[in-house]
Amino acid sequence: MNYTCKACGSNMVFSPKNQKMICLHCNQLDTHEKKTNESLVTCISCGADITPGEFVSSSKCPYCGTYVIYDERVSDKFQPDVIVPFKLDRDTVFNTLDREFEDRLFTPTKFLTEATYKDLEGKYIPFFLYDFAADGEYLGVGTKERSWRSGDYTYHETSYYDVERVMHAEYENIPADASTEMPDDKMDLLEPYDYHELLSFDPKYLSGFFGEIYNEPSMAYRDRAYKKALSSAKKIMKDSISGYTTLKAKVDKMDVKDKDVEYALFPVWVYNFKWKDKDNKIYVNGQTGKVIGRTPVSKIKVLAYTLSTGIISFACMELLIKILGEVL
Ligand SMILES: [Zn+2]
Ligand SMILES: [Zn+2]
């Protein structure tokens, strides 16, 4: 399918700046209509063969420049539940990168030039968002010691405590990217995305951008999210038991159960560049502007600017620690 302007018939794309559809020819906003293509492999506009790669859900026709969305890759089992639409447009990201890298290069030519502008690509990356529920139980004996002097004697006192904890925590929307091509560590660093701006999926958001479908089903990526929930729950339990000189556990259990999973698309600007004959990439969070990547100057220094902070990466929706008893 693609989106065309009711006024002039040209291609319409999603504009991050306006958060509306915009006509590439007459600039009218939200005058779009959807045109469905019967063939997956021919361009609806010029008829050229545009067979998509295995995981491509939307792209640009290399012959006529029309943005195409592949119906079968955004419906049924491939229909995303939610999407964070692009918030930063190409110009903003280009200027951000230009500013960030300007001072860091000793090369006389600018790192980003008009010629490299086209290598900045807006992509929707597939993610799964996992929900878990954690139940923990701890039973043990803790000791506290104190010493004091009185006359010629030093007294030592050891107090024994029964330590009991029961906790329940709910985790919602722990993300893991479902793209083999995207490096997991880079995608983790690009977080957080602000989930307040999660919207129900609509294919129109893909117009003007490249899209990718999940490469494997959700179970293939689940362990990455599960480990985050488990380690968070264990830390909550551990932090709730403090102040003892010694601690001996009789029961120390943490049970993390799968609850739900959603298929999401998140926006990423990918800047491709060559340096000393090597292909390099810099990633920019298309919602927050966070930049992840390496500059050509130093191969050691990894840029990880947080341009927008204070957003939670996953929501710990409900946390309840019940202290059953602490008895001398
Ligand atoms: Zn138009
Ligand atoms: Zn075409």
Side-chain angles (χ1 to χ4, degrees), residues 4-8 12 21-23 26-33:
T4 53
C5 174
K6 277 187 209 163
C8 76
M12 288 195 82
M21 297 295 277
I22 190 166
C23 175
C26 70
N27 289 330
Q28 293 223 45
L29 296 173
D30 275 351
T31 50
H32 56 285
E33 60 185 349

Side-chain angles (χ1 to χ4, degrees), residues 84-88 93 120-127 177 179 182-183 186-187 190-191 193 209-212 265-271 281-292:
V84 173
F86 271 91
K87 203 172 178 184
L88 303 177
V93 173
L120 185 62
E121 196 173 77
K123 269 188 104 167
Y124 281 105
I125 305 300
F127 276 76
D177 77 274
S179 165
M182 290 289 168
K186 299 284 191 303
M187 290 302 103
L190 270 185
E191 289 171 28
Y193 283 90
F209 300 96
F210 292 86
E212 187 178 333
L265 295 180
F266 289 165
V268 177
W269 283 100
V270 185
Y271 175 57
K281 285 180 197 296
I282 287 170
Y283 304 94
V284 183
N285 182 317
Q287 183 193 32
T288 66
K290 188 178 183 185
V291 180
I292 302 295

Side-chain angles (χ1 to χ4, degrees), residues 43-48 50 61-66:
C43 173
I44 195 168
S45 180
C46 73
I50 46 163
C61 172
Y63 305 99
C64 70
T66 300

